Amino acid sequence: MNELPAGGWSEPNDELSFDLDREWERWNMELSDELSPEQHADQLRLLEQYEDIKREALRKLHELDVIVVLDVDASNEAEQFTVFAEKWQNNCVEEYKRLGRELTEADERQLAIDCVVAYFEERDFQALIINAVTMYHFIAINADRPEVKASALNMDTMKKELQSELLVHRSLPMSGAWQQFVSDMVPGESLDVFDKDDQVYLVKARLTTPDFVAEKVLKKSVIEQAFELTGIDWENDDLAKVVRTVADIMNMQIIAAQPAFNETDRANRNAELWHEGRKLECDPEAVRKIIDLMDASYPVIAPPEL
């Protein structure tokens, strides 16, 4: 079969290596020149604590029976992509054999492209889980801080809502590895699907299913429209070029989909999109249209109520 380029894109992307900067900003934990030395020390301690939780979550993730595609080091993520791609493609080849089908050159080409798409879907999912468990764990161990108390967060509710969404939206059973990972990493009571008091979380997850589906449909549409704007021929252009373009566009969609709560967020996001857009192998006008598409598809939204 055709080999995919290591990492799935033209170069390691440090900006997209896994981090929680956006979540951190939402909690206003960034350092400020206006803070006193004592406050600086406190913020640095919290930042170190937060990073420790993230590292521990990633360490525990590697203990699961899954291929982990996230890492704090971009070069390691490139290696993990290669592992993911080899296993994913081998599974597809075995499925073709099981069905008694012989892979054609067109099949191999499509599988190479589909593999990149599958990788980014998996990466998006794993990042969602790590983001959630890191933030929730951090909140739980700092429950006595005034800023946390003021938000009146309920850890049991947050945990059960997350588990309900994994169960309802992604069909991940409570007995499975991902649900156990959430149960272990996030303090508080876990969802009990047989407890009548917990049915409210399952109902809420079902009610939000249309929103979840709509987000997936929007994502697919944005990626397909953006690829079309590049002018690259999916079926006939050089495969490596097609794969790089798919990867770059999916990187850009990940950036675009991050919530922008004000015009400053939007400006910073669009600056990142322009940085990524320069990697696309198409003319600048096409890049501009792609960024305009993503900007319009993910407008500024109201911040969540905590």
Side-chain angles (χ1 to χ4, degrees):
M1 292 186 64
N2 293 301
E3 293 291 327
L4 289 170
W9 53 90
S10 55
E11 60 186 72
N13 185 352
D14 290 312
E15 292 187 10
L16 277 175
S17 295
F18 180 70
D19 64 67
L20 296 174
D21 288 344
R22 291 182 182 276
E23 287 75 11
W24 192 260
E25 289 169 359
R26 282 176 54 190
W27 278 87
N28 295 314
M29 292 299 192
E30 66 272 22
L31 297 178
S32 168
D33 292 336
E34 298 177 0
L35 296 179
S36 68
E38 293 77 14
Q39 289 172 318
H40 267 297
D42 182 53
Q43 296 288 358
L44 286 171
R45 181 188 65 79
L46 288 174
L47 178 58
E48 182 178 355
Q49 181 187 75
Y50 196 77
E51 293 300 316
D52 285 344
I53 297 170
K54 178 179 66 177
R55 283 190 289 270
E56 176 65 9
L58 284 168
R59 186 189 68 79
K60 286 185 174 293
L61 189 62
H62 281 271
E63 296 176 357
L64 298 183
D65 186 23
V66 298
I67 296 178
V68 181
V69 298
L70 295 175
D71 202 282
V72 292
D73 188 323
S75 61
N76 288 344
E77 286 196 349
E79 294 175 7
Q80 289 163 337
F81 169 81
T82 300
V83 173
F84 176 91
E86 288 178 352
K87 183 167 184 178
W88 191 92
Q89 290 186 334
N90 287 338
N91 287 342
C92 289
V93 170
E94 289 302 314
E95 181 63 14
Y96 270 77
K97 289 179 179 178
R98 189 184 70 80
L99 297 173
R101 291 181 56 188
E102 185 174 335
L103 273 96
T104 64
E105 185 175 341
D107 290 331
E108 291 187 359
R109 181 184 182 88
Q110 187 62 50
L111 285 180
I113 298 168
D114 290 346
C115 182
V116 173
V117 174
Y119 164 77
F120 276 96
E121 291 291 341
E122 181 64 21
R123 190 177 186 280
D124 225 8
F125 167 71
Q126 291 187 16
L128 179 148
I129 300 299
I130 292 293
N131 281 345
V133 301
T134 301
M135 176 57 70
Y136 291 177
H137 191 101
F138 176 81
I139 292 170
I141 63 177
N142 289 284
D144 291 335
R145 291 182 66 89
E147 60 267 38
V148 177
K149 282 184 175 180
S151 62
L153 297 171
N154 184 296
M155 187 54 57
D156 289 344
T157 295
M158 295 163 65
K159 183 173 183 177
K160 291 179 181 183
E161 286 181 350
L162 173 60
Q163 290 183 308
S164 295
E165 289 173 0
L166 293 178
L167 178 63
V168 175
H169 296 170
R170 299 178 184 271
S171 301
L172 293 174
M174 295 303 298
S175 58
W178 285 107
Q179 292 279 13
Q180 189 60 49
F181 177 67
V182 172
S183 180
D184 292 343
M185 279 300 303
V186 180
E189 291 185 7
S190 290
L191 177 73
D192 182 350
V193 297
F194 300 109
D195 186 336
K196 62 180 178 62
D197 292 333
D198 283 0
Q199 295 305 304
V200 63
Y201 303 109
L202 296 172
V203 170
K204 183 175 180 180
R206 294 188 187 100
L207 291 175
T208 59
T209 297
D211 293 334
F212 174 74
V213 173
E215 287 178 8
K216 293 184 68 173
V217 171
L218 174 61
K219 177 179 180 177
K220 183 175 185 293
S221 174
V222 167
I223 291 170
E224 289 178 348
Q225 290 180 71
F227 187 90
E228 185 175 347
L229 286 169
T230 66
I232 294 173
D233 188 332
W234 183 287
E235 296 181 349
N236 300 308
D237 277 342
D238 177 67
L239 177 59
K241 180 179 181 180
V242 173
V243 166
R244 284 194 302 270
T245 303
V246 170
D248 288 340
I249 286 174
M250 294 191 76
N251 265 336
M252 291 176 70
Q253 188 278 331
I254 290 172
I255 294 171
Q258 294 297 323
F261 300 125
N262 51 55
E263 289 301 323
T264 300
D265 287 348
R266 179 189 177 197
N268 291 336
R269 178 194 69 187
N270 289 354
E272 288 188 59
L273 288 175
W274 273 107
H275 176 78
E276 291 301 307
R278 294 187 182 95
K279 299 177 184 178
L280 292 173
E281 300 177 59
C282 59
D283 64 79
E285 181 60 19
V287 175
R288 184 190 64 77
K289 290 180 179 179
I290 290 169
I291 293 173
D292 286 348
L293 165 69
M294 293 189 177
D295 180 52
S297 299
Y298 298 100
V300 173
I301 62 173
E305 295 183 5
L306 295 179

